Amino acid sequence: MASTPEFQQTLGKPASFSGTALHTGEKVTLKLQPAPVDHGIKFKRKDLQDEPTIDAKIENLKQVERATTIGEGSVRVHTVEHVLAALWAMGVDNAVVEMDANEPPIGDGSAQGYVDLIRKAGVTPQDEPRKFFDVRETVHVESKTGTLLILLPDDKFRISCTQAGPNNRFAQFLSMEVTPAGFEREIAPARTFVYYEDVKPLMDKNLIKGGSLENAIVVRGEAVLSKEPLRFADEFVRHKILDIIGDLALVGRRIRGHVVAVKPSHASNAQLARSITREQTRRSAVAAPRTIPSGDGGLDTDQVMQILPHRFPFLMVDRIISFETETKCVGVKTVTINEPFFQGHFPSHPVMPGVLQVEAMAQVASILLFKLAKTTSRIGYFMSADEVKFRKPVLPGDTIFIHAELTKSRGERLAKAKCHCVVNDAIVSEAELMFTFLDK
Ligand SMILES: [Zn+2]
């Protein structure tokens, strides 16, 4: 795990190149420009009056047939996925993509031309940390055509992808961590491929004027037609990964998660990007707790500290917000980025250790016990923790509601408690704890 925080990056200087637009067949010049922190990636139509810009965000998605089109108002840019994939995978967070047409130059149908351009411009760090989307629970999208995309938690951004043509011809699989070096070597050179039966009607309608065997591989039956031979035996699945990276760049945050893709399409990639964005919005919106558990009374921090011997940095409950009965209560702990454990767990990926959640449950449960025993002259020792489950990571900014219920107390010496922690109305961890009490 990287020990330095990751910073946003932009281009070192502007750089441009020209080529042919796939759909119109016209000449287009594309220029990459550096941009300030938190700018994200925006497209700029230099050929239109007032040079309108379009944010490369999933909210602006307009079309997903064959290529990804974004737009704002009546302004459109088509086939944005390859240049987005190159910028995102090469580590560029902020940039302006200027074009004098509605589509980037198609190049050879891969992302190689854009990678070369980014190399020419250089990539330079900025002084704001990157924004991440940490996958907490599995997200998945499915379609009737057999497409399935699953996003799983992971420390890194990984893609595992399968691709299969009609009748499962050209079935391929590749799994990789997306890094600038890996992208440049393994993914960027992979070219667009099309099935003859899909492009024939488009060619007949003259809809892909710029299309040729120089910028796409055409698969006709068992035959693979292209200007130069295949660059990789599994070039098709590599291009599928390229498209996934480009489409998911529309999330606008770095993803820490593992995408498992079965026969992905632009439509399904966009659907996943939407689900991620929706989840991100939900997380930001529920920073404040939505449900305050019911009950009476409570204890403030001072009162908690009169009962518990624990002190900074080991006091894991800020307050008791309610006692539902004598044997049931809810404590609360606000987790901030300043918690000492985040310095080491982990510097670039702060997650609250699960064992500290168990400790928080134990502290809340012992408050119940001390209240029942009406004395603090004894000290509780943890004897066992059973049925411990960690369901979701707890991150900086979360408010944990710690529920504890005494289920058994045998005499005055032994007690059992059933506990769980809740963040944003979802259980993040649970355990059954047993204590014994000894005189101090
Ligand atoms: Zn593509």
Side-chain angles (χ1 to χ4, degrees), residues 1 132-137 151-160 175-178 254-260 349 351 393:
M1 183 140 322
F132 283 93
F133 176 82
D134 284 284
V135 181
R136 295 187 185 191
E137 54 199 279
L151 180 59
L152 303 162
D154 203 293
D155 297 340
K156 305 276 171 57
F157 181 36
R158 286 178 215 278
I159 300 180
S160 298
S175 180
M176 66 178 297
E177 181 194 336
V178 181
R254 299 276 161 185
I255 296 168
R256 274 192 283 234
H258 184 169
V259 180
V260 178
H349 184 42
V351 189

Side-chain angles (χ1 to χ4, degrees), residues 81-82 192 239 243:
E81 62 272 20
H82 299 167
T192 304
H239 190 85
D243 284 338

